[in-house]
Amino acid sequence: MFVRNAWYVIAQSEEIVRVPLKRTVLGDDVVLFRKTDGTIAALDDRCAHRAYPLSEGRVVGDNIQCGYHGFEYNCAGVCVRVPAQARIPERAVVTSYPTVESHRWVWIWMGDADLAATVEVPDTHWMTDPAWDRVTHQRLFECSADLIHDNLLDLTHEGFLHESTIGDEAVYENGITVEVDGNTVSVDRWMPECHPSSLFETATGLSLADRWHTTVFQLPSLHVIHAGVVEVGGRREDGHLLRVLNAITPATENTAWYFYAFCRDFSVGDTALNELLAESLGGVLAEDSDALAFQQVKMDSRPANLPDVLIAQDAGVAKARRMMKQLLAAEARAQSPAPQKVAAP
């Protein structure tokens, strides 16, 4: 089950062109393409005629043409042409999905389309702010989105899984503070007077520093890690600041899209640093991907009477899990038909 009434990243802006793109999100196949005015259309990737994937067809003007029998659909999902006859069947309609293109990411709403306009897409302005530089990555993880959420809310694994790049003892030696505000969970960790990891030392030039990271999880899809490094005794706002964006979009129950951006407000325009970060952080994501794929296999085979053993560092994980269950339950209640009153005999 997925929370459907929410915005999810489905693609990077540059991925969407005039050639149809297929992407599986929340268990459904979607076809995306750009219209002649540059805006984006997103439809169910299934022709109403015989279920041929529309992504195997072509874009004609602002319509998409099925590659099997030529049915054409406009951006609202309504069939506007059947080459074999003049009459268009009323049921020749496919679902269309609201989309928003914002700061180099394309967001999609897979739930009740009428609700989409009432919810703003999350703020990711660091992706295009000229005062910040960034490197980006995108991967399909062979695990559930829930495992990625857990991974991002408990960063103590950095000291072991990523010890050669971003991890060190300070991450697991210092505790966390957890706060909840609406559908947002924040996990803050302050790491005073420690040696930065090798990658951060190279990037900042500091060999001893105060560090911090605050993972802000905006359920159900986006983690923004507000992190930084500052000279010992300094203020957070005066340090080298990072915003690490992690947009997690379920593809199926056991696979998920991971859209990643590592944004910084220092050494902006440093091409060599960008190349170093792109390679190093790509390796970090690969380590996460491999580890979570292993974990998914063991989760699938684990007996039902063996739940996770959580510790104090999992406080954010536990709160987020409960909140996700509440969101799913609320949507299920909203979709359930009202009970029918039975007349007294």
Side-chain angles (χ1 to χ4, degrees):
M1 294 178 61
F2 309 109
V3 175
R4 302 188 74 85
N5 288 323
W7 290 107
Y8 292 91
V9 176
I10 190 171
Q12 299 183 67
S13 288
E14 56 266 29
E15 290 186 273
I16 313 300
V17 294
R18 294 285 288 168
V19 178
L21 172 71
K22 172 190 173 181
R23 184 134 293 165
T24 302
V25 292
L26 277 60
D28 294 329
D29 291 338
V30 177
V31 59
L32 303 110
F33 61 93
R34 286 197 185 272
K35 300 188 289 183
T36 53
D37 65 0
T39 57
I40 294 172
L43 304 175
D44 184 25
D45 190 23
R46 181 186 297 107
C47 180
H49 180 215
R50 292 189 189 168
Y52 191 77
L54 294 175
S55 57
E56 293 297 319
R58 65 191 183 102
V59 175
V60 179
D62 284 344
N63 301 331
I64 187 165
Q65 183 185 78
C66 178
Y68 196 14
H69 295 95
F71 281 48
E72 286 187 25
Y73 299 86
N74 64 19
C75 297
V78 177
C79 183
V80 294
R81 179 170 182 257
V82 177
Q85 65 182 42
R87 186 183 68 83
I88 299 174
E90 292 184 3
R91 293 192 300 114
V93 177
V94 299
T95 303
S96 64
Y97 300 100
T99 61
V100 172
E101 188 170 12
S102 176
H103 303 297
R104 298 176 58 189
W105 278 348
V106 180
W107 300 76
I108 192 166
W109 185 279
M110 300 290 290
D112 183 344
D114 292 335
L115 297 178
T118 69
V119 180
E120 293 185 358
V121 299
D123 178 21
T124 58
H125 73 274
W126 305 280
M127 292 274 286
T128 53
D129 189 330
W132 291 69
D133 212 334
R134 78 281 307 155
V135 296
T136 62
H137 288 282
Q138 173 183 330
R139 294 179 70 97
L140 181 65
F141 274 44
E142 297 295 324
C143 69
S144 71
D146 291 337
L147 290 186
I148 306 177
H149 295 319
D150 290 353
N151 185 69
L152 289 165
L153 289 166
D154 175 18
L155 295 178
T156 58
H157 73 275
E158 288 183 356
F160 305 94
L161 191 62
H162 309 310
E163 63 178 345
S164 66
T165 49
I166 62 174
D168 54 65
E169 295 87 349
V171 180
Y172 58 80
E173 289 178 346
N174 292 277
I176 58 174
T177 301
V178 179
E179 296 182 357
V180 175
D181 181 11
N183 290 334
T184 299
V185 178
S186 298
V187 180
D188 181 76
R189 187 189 315 274
W190 174 252
M191 297 165 280
E193 201 167 348
C194 64
H195 294 283
S197 65
S198 59
L199 181 59
F200 288 151
E201 183 174 355
T202 300
T204 66
L206 295 174
S207 58
L208 189 67
D210 291 342
R211 291 175 52 204
W212 69 94
H213 46 60
T214 306
T215 301
V216 181
F217 180 23
Q218 302 169 55
L219 276 75
S221 70
L222 180 69
H223 298 252
V224 180
I225 302 177
H226 301 253
V229 180
V230 69
E231 294 181 353
V232 174
R235 303 182 306 169
R236 293 194 187 197
E237 57 267 32
D238 295 330
H240 297 80
L241 303 182
L242 306 171
R243 297 292 183 266
V244 187
L245 311 181
N246 308 264
I248 312 304
T249 301
T252 64
E253 290 289 348
N254 288 338
T255 61
W257 291 103
Y258 196 135
F259 297 90
Y260 175 89
F262 185 92
C263 308
R264 68 182 192 278
D265 75 343
F266 57 94
S267 301
V268 175
D270 186 333
T271 303
L273 182 56
N274 284 343
E275 292 175 353
L276 170 66
L277 290 171
E279 180 179 359
S280 299
L281 296 170
V284 169
L285 283 181
E287 289 170 342
D288 280 330
S289 178
D290 290 344
L292 295 182
F294 287 138
Q295 188 181 5
Q296 185 68 61
V297 171
K298 302 307 291 183
M299 287 281 190
D300 291 342
S301 62
R302 184 176 67 178
N305 63 346
L306 289 179
D308 289 348
V309 177
L310 300 184
I311 62 175
Q313 294 275 9
D314 292 311
V317 171
K319 289 183 183 296
R321 287 181 179 181
R322 287 196 294 270
M323 292 167 64
M324 191 74 81
K325 288 181 180 178
Q326 291 168 359
L327 289 175
L328 287 166
E331 283 198 2
R333 287 194 300 271
Q335 294 169 3
S336 298
Q340 299 294 317
K341 291 184 178 181
V342 180

